[in-house]
Amino acid sequence: MGESLQDREVLAQTDSSNEFKILPDVILVGIGGHSIFDRGRAALLPLAEELSTARSQKHKMLLGVGGGTRVRHTLAIALDLGLPTGGIAQLVGAMEECNAVFLNALLAKHGSIVMQREHFWELPLYLSTGMLPIVISIPPYHFWEPPPEDGALPSHGSDFGLFIHAEVLGMKRIIFVKDEDGLYDRDPKKHADARFIPRTTLEALLADMPAELILDRQLFACWKDARHVEEVQIVNGLKPGMLLRALAGEPVGTIITKETRRG
Amino acid sequence: MVERRVIPSTLANLPLTGGETLPYEGVAMMPSVKVIKVGGQSIMDRGRAALFPLLQEIRTIKDQHRLLLTAGGGTRARHVYSVASELELPTGLLAALGGYVPRQNARMLQMLLAEDGGIYIMTDDFEKLPLYFRLGCIPVMTGMPPFGYWEKPSAEGRIPANRTDAGTFLSAEALGSTRVWFAKDEEGLYEDDPKKNPAAKLIRRIGAKELISRGLKDLIIERSALEYLTRSRYVREIQVFNALVPGNLTRALAGEAVGTIIYQD
């Protein structure tokens, strides 16, 4: 017990070939803030309906929400004020939590519940009673947000936060519900000739990362060292039925898989 | 497509997926605070013989500085990691479990410093630091950052990369301090583990990038803290010193080059 935890040999001994999976059969569904929530009723009500159908089909899901335009406004003001990166990270979760409450209001009659971080281990209870837990996506790095590689904005955003939530619980699949059909080589909102990518791998993306992405870069960086998440799917939540088809295992939208396995 | 209800701002229409560099002029929050980590295995686990003289030194100098003490984990944390690792539990779980021990140690420090203003704070109390300092308190908290279940999988092995050194460093960075202190049981950073190799050479001063590039097999400080030092905005130096030698803490806080200084290069 007296060994140094910085010793590379000691670290190597803690590697694993078959890490324990805590909740492998649960699918994480992340709903975009900017892409879905900011579009209000027209986007949200049909999606809420679809989520209630998914629940009645007995899909085990964990829902996550992004913060959207209020997060961006917070960041813009905080940057202008010169608040430290950790201070900025401390602020943004509140704007996401509003979206979690909005979604909870829409889904309450179908058994949704906003899962507070300190209730982490109530998750099995929610799932086994058929409820729809909604988590805050931003990871709780707060004042301790590591210095970013570039600029002053926190690099651990909501897509990353949902990814790591799925990973620690040993989940295999994440579905991100956005306002585009999936991943493109360029932002399709700005470039009419952007090329749609129906299927790709993490390795291909890391080798040749599109300049404009639909998910946080940090998610891909973290996925490289991850052991459980096998597949990230991006679907268009503005098109009815897409989420249900993705939950049923259909290859709609974009599917990103990881080729190299780390046990 | 349904329109978005957008608040206009400089970031309203950016992708915001990472790496954006925008105009920014940082404001340091409380740069006068001196963050000191009290080692877990190196100090706390040695008990009274190591800790009491150090606490006496803290009592003597406490009114000259604004001190924020953070606690390391030590042997019990290693035991937790060892059990969790054998069960092949994920890194995020190890990080959450590893958080219990430094909290115990912080509470021990608080009890022993209570008469002198020692006050145990949780990470959620960080924003109340100005009050504690105004009251002449010595806030004591865990060194562990609050990442817990959200800690990333490590590139090497499964021990969480961000433990009490990284958390202490990040506390200082959030406050805008320029230096952060680590009270350990060795003179400083050696080229090899001096506990195993008595001929190991002490490094007095070295740049963080240079140190990382040397790829030493073992280090006195977490690699993640070194990586953060290569790109931190405020913290410029990490000072590691031997807190078993009376007077070293006083000298280090006075700006003397005791122990090892790792700087941003």
Side-chain angles (χ1 to χ4, degrees), chain A residues 29-52 65 99 102-103 106-107 177-180 189 235-243, chain B residues 1-5:
Chain A
V29 178
I31 301 165
H34 195 49
S35 51
I36 301 291
F37 275 89
D38 289 347
R39 298 188 192 279
R41 180 184 192 100
L44 272 175
L45 291 187
L47 192 60
E49 203 51 48
E50 212 164 313
L51 285 166
S52 79
V65 299
N99 281 350
F102 283 138
L103 187 64
L106 300 178
L107 290 173
V177 182
K178 303 269 183 183
D179 62 352
E180 295 292 349
K189 288 189 184 63
V235 299
N236 192 337
L238 303 179
K239 291 189 177 167
M242 285 296 166
L243 172 61
Chain B
M1 200 182 282
V2 198
E3 279 307 303
R4 285 184 176 125
R5 197 177 297 237

Side-chain angles (χ1 to χ4, degrees), chain B residues 46-65:
Chain B
R46 291 179 185 272
R48 177 184 286 250
L51 195 54
F52 278 25
L54 180 63
L55 294 179
Q56 194 49 45
E57 204 172 327
I58 290 172
R59 289 184 190 103
T60 312
I61 57 166
K62 73 174 176 68
D63 294 327
Q64 298 161 34
H65 309 279

Side-chain angles (χ1 to χ4, degrees), chain B residues 160-189:
Chain B
N162 294 287
R163 303 190 304 277
T164 53
D165 292 343
T168 301
F169 182 94
L170 295 171
S171 289
E173 174 70 4
L175 291 167
S177 312
T178 52
R179 191 184 274 197
V180 55
W181 289 266
F182 291 84
K184 305 250 182 187
D185 63 350
E186 297 290 353
E187 289 309 313
L189 172 77

Side-chain angles (χ1 to χ4, degrees), chain B residues 100-226:
Chain B
Y100 285 83
V101 181
R103 286 200 291 272
Q104 281 183 311
N105 285 341
R107 288 196 153 108
M108 289 187 199
L109 288 170
Q110 187 279 328
M111 291 176 208
L112 296 167
L113 288 170
E115 192 76 307
D116 310 283
I119 184 162
Y120 174 74
I121 70 164
M122 313 269 270
T123 49
D124 281 354
D125 300 318
F126 204 68
E127 287 150 310
K128 301 191 194 102
L129 282 175
L131 171 68
Y132 304 141
F133 289 125
R134 190 151 294 197
L135 293 171
C137 290
I138 310 171
V140 190
M141 68 186 291
T142 176
M144 204 76 175
F147 302 176
Y149 300 110
W150 290 262
E151 170 78 35
K152 294 177 203 180
S154 303
E156 286 180 87
R158 283 165 337 107
I159 304 287
N162 294 287
R163 303 190 304 277
T164 53
D165 292 343
T168 301
F169 182 94
L170 295 171
S171 289
E173 174 70 4
L175 291 167
S177 312
T178 52
R179 191 184 274 197
V180 55
W181 289 266
F182 291 84
K184 305 250 182 187
D185 63 350
E186 297 290 353
E187 289 309 313
L189 172 77
Y190 286 82
E191 290 182 341
D192 193 12
D193 184 351
K195 291 190 179 68
K196 292 176 199 149
N197 174 10
K201 200 166 148 262
L202 178 69
I203 301 170
R204 285 284 175 198
R205 204 176 152 77
I206 190 168
K209 280 185 188 155
E210 190 195 341
L211 180 55
I212 293 168
S213 72
R214 281 202 193 181
L216 297 182
K217 178 179 153 292
D218 199 2
L219 285 172
I220 198 166
I221 192 153
E222 289 160 25
R223 290 188 173 81
S224 50
L226 294 181

Side-chain angles (χ1 to χ4, degrees), chain A residues 1-9 11 14-20 22 34-35 38-39 42-43 69-70 72-73 75-76 79 81-85 90 117 120-121 139-153 156 160-161 164-165 167-168 179-180 189-190 213-218 222 225-227 238 262, chain B residues 1-22 24-27 29 41 75 78-79 81-82 85 87-93 123 126-127 141 145-147 149-159 163 167 170-171 174 196 215-223 228 231-233:
Chain A
M1 291 300 151
E3 74 278 14
S4 161
L5 293 184
Q6 273 75 254
D7 187 322
R8 290 219 146 100
E9 281 172 23
L11 291 179
T14 67
D15 215 343
S16 161
S17 55
N18 190 20
E19 194 170 86
F20 190 82
I22 296 173
H34 195 49
S35 51
D38 289 347
R39 298 188 192 279
T69 196
R70 292 185 306 276
R72 287 155 185 270
H73 189 253
L75 295 174
L79 270 187
L81 295 174
L83 298 181
T85 299
Q90 185 83 0
R117 292 190 212 280
F120 191 84
W121 287 115
Y141 289 13
H142 301 159
F143 280 118
W144 295 269
E145 172 76 30
E149 307 266 353
D150 305 292
L153 288 178
H156 298 89
F160 163 79
I164 195 74
H165 207 131
E167 172 65 20
V168 72
D179 62 352
E180 295 292 349
K189 288 189 184 63
K190 294 182 204 154
L213 273 174
I214 198 165
L215 296 171
D216 294 345
R217 269 157 221 286
Q218 193 61 240
C222 178
D225 294 325
R227 296 164 189 274
L238 303 179
R262 191 181 184 209
Chain B
M1 200 182 282
V2 198
E3 279 307 303
R4 285 184 176 125
R5 197 177 297 237
V6 170
I7 311 174
S9 77
T10 50
L11 306 183
N13 290 308
L14 292 183
L16 279 194
T17 50
E20 289 82 5
T21 46
L22 296 143
Y24 177 75
E25 198 181 326
V27 176
M29 250 194 326
Q41 181 148 270
T75 313
R78 281 164 174 72
H79 186 266
Y81 293 141
S82 156
S85 197
L87 290 170
E88 300 200 275
L89 294 171
T91 298
L93 204 78
T123 49
F126 204 68
E127 287 150 310
M141 68 186 291
F147 302 176
Y149 300 110
W150 290 262
E151 170 78 35
K152 294 177 203 180
S154 303
E156 286 180 87
R158 283 165 337 107
I159 304 287
R163 303 190 304 277
L170 295 171
S171 289
K196 292 176 199 149
L216 297 182
K217 178 179 153 292
D218 199 2
L219 285 172
I220 198 166
I221 192 153
E222 289 160 25
R223 290 188 173 81
Y228 298 152
R231 53 178 203 260
S232 47
R233 191 171 289 270

Side-chain angles (χ1 to χ4, degrees), chain A residues 114-173:
Chain A
V114 178
M115 193 193 94
Q116 302 298 329
R117 292 190 212 280
E118 54 271 34
H119 294 190
F120 191 84
W121 287 115
E122 287 175 15
L123 197 49
L125 169 72
Y126 302 152
L127 291 166
S128 70
T129 52
M131 297 187 79
L132 271 175
I134 304 169
V135 301
I136 310 298
S137 312
I138 287 277
Y141 289 13
H142 301 159
F143 280 118
W144 295 269
E145 172 76 30
E149 307 266 353
D150 305 292
L153 288 178
S155 46
H156 298 89
S158 48
D159 297 334
F160 163 79
L162 287 178
F163 178 89
I164 195 74
H165 207 131
E167 172 65 20
V168 72
L169 290 169
M171 299 183 185
K172 296 192 209 79
R173 286 186 71 198

